[in-house]
Amino acid sequence: MAKSFSGHYKTGGSDVIVRVSVIFFEDSGSIVSYCPALNVYGYGSDEAGAKKSFEVSLGEFFRYTLNKGTLESELRKLGWTVSNTRKMYPPSFSDLLRNNEDFSEIFNHHDFKKEDRDITIPTAA
């Protein structure tokens, strides 16, 4: 399976640009949006609500890790490769399935839809 996540860190500017896949599935009557490469979730009564919730959660993840200076270490913990030139490579789907129990459960037991999108997060809150 091809790598479905890609990203880079723009060193000359003030933002982080990442291409991520978000998985949408139904759980207990709610729609869940989940990015396994970042382990970030959103929830809503419909897909639009789940997307909005996900965007808030993702923004908080980046804001918190950037403010604490832990973005790169968190990405590494999640299986990302971060090079000395600040290029970032997310884990492959096969690595995520092997190492992420939540994603493996979703992949194996839920119908889901995948959406890829670019997300830009400022490096200063």
Side-chain angles (χ1 to χ4, degrees), residues 41-98:
Y41 289 86
Y43 303 88
S45 59
D46 57 18
E47 191 173 310
K51 284 182 182 181
K52 186 175 181 177
S53 173
F54 174 79
E55 289 171 2
V56 170
S57 296
L58 184 64
E60 288 303 311
F61 169 80
F62 279 102
R63 184 179 352 274
Y64 182 81
T65 58
L66 291 168
N67 285 338
K68 293 292 186 181
T70 60
L71 176 61
E72 288 183 19
S73 64
E74 284 301 313
L75 291 176
R76 284 187 178 101
K77 285 180 196 174
L78 291 166
W80 289 62
T81 301
V82 181
S83 72
N84 290 339
T85 59
R86 307 286 251 173
K87 291 190 179 184
M88 298 180 182
Y89 303 97
S92 67
F93 253 56
S94 58
D95 286 342
L96 288 167
L97 285 168
R98 186 174 38 257

